[in-house]
Amino acid sequence: MSLRQRFDDDLKIAMKARDQLRMDVIRMVKAAILNKEIELKKDIDDADLSRIMTTLLKQRRESVQLFQQGNRNDLADKELKEIAILEAYLPKALSTDELTTIVVATIQEIGATTPKEMGLVMKAVMAKLVGQTVDGKILSELVKAKLQ
């Protein structure tokens, strides 16, 4: 079952259960998908859907930090619940150990030795991890640490 079909089915289930938060999150994702399709002028595949979902997750995480800084814990809690719903649709994120292994192997393959080659290493690692959930900030820090 494609991710898009799963959204449709889960939206129906959420509507029957009167789960307003889940309905709102799924509708938000479907709107983001539609906007991306209009922008690209073509249907998008599951890999593009994963990228859209990753972007939405990143936005939610940033919102949580801002809400917590502003002492708006009620809004931060809502964003955390949305994050949990979104994460259920994405593949499990790689652990730091798995990422480190991939980064080290890629550095050896490329032969990178200096921090100036960080962009080249990042590009190669991201190419290996297409379709998987990866936090770019953590990945960037790992690559930087290994090239020091």
Side-chain angles (χ1 to χ4, degrees):
M1 174 186 324
S2 73
L3 198 52
R4 182 179 294 227
Q5 183 62 42
R6 197 168 148 207
F7 285 129
D8 293 337
D9 293 345
D10 287 353
L11 181 60
K12 290 176 191 173
I13 292 168
M15 291 171 92
K16 288 178 183 176
R18 299 186 190 273
D19 185 350
Q20 189 64 45
L21 180 64
R22 187 170 296 276
M23 285 190 311
D24 291 344
V25 170
I26 293 172
R27 286 178 177 154
M28 171 193 58
V29 171
K30 289 180 71 149
I33 292 167
L34 184 61
N35 288 337
K36 193 64 163 180
E37 286 179 339
I38 291 171
E39 178 186 326
L40 298 175
K41 297 180 181 167
K42 66 175 184 132
D43 287 342
I44 56 176
D45 58 0
D46 277 356
D48 290 328
L49 283 173
S50 292
R51 281 192 285 279
I52 291 170
M53 301 270 298
T54 303
T55 301
L56 293 172
L57 273 172
K58 184 177 178 183
Q59 291 170 349
R60 298 293 162 287
R61 287 187 179 115
E62 290 171 357
S63 295
V64 167
Q65 287 178 342
L66 293 173
F67 287 141
Q68 287 174 341
Q69 288 172 359
N71 291 328
R72 292 298 309 264
N73 293 329
D74 55 331
L75 295 175
D77 291 341
K78 181 180 182 277
E79 294 290 328
L80 288 170
K81 290 175 185 174
E82 289 180 6
I83 288 171
I85 292 170
L86 288 171
E87 285 177 339
Y89 291 100
L90 289 172
K92 188 175 181 285
L94 295 174
S95 70
T96 306
D97 293 337
E98 293 168 326
L99 272 177
T100 304
T101 304
I102 294 169
V103 166
V104 169
T106 305
I107 289 172
Q108 289 174 351
E109 288 172 15
I110 294 175
T113 55
T114 65
K116 290 182 180 179
E117 297 170 302
M118 184 173 166
L120 187 63
V121 174
M122 287 289 292
K123 185 176 179 182
V125 170
M126 290 304 281
K128 288 181 178 182
L129 300 176
V130 170
Q132 295 188 3
T133 306
V134 179
D135 187 349
K137 187 175 180 181
I138 294 172
L139 180 61
S140 175
E141 291 171 1
L142 278 172
V143 171
K144 190 182 290 185
K146 294 297 177 185
L147 289 176
Q148 294 289 330

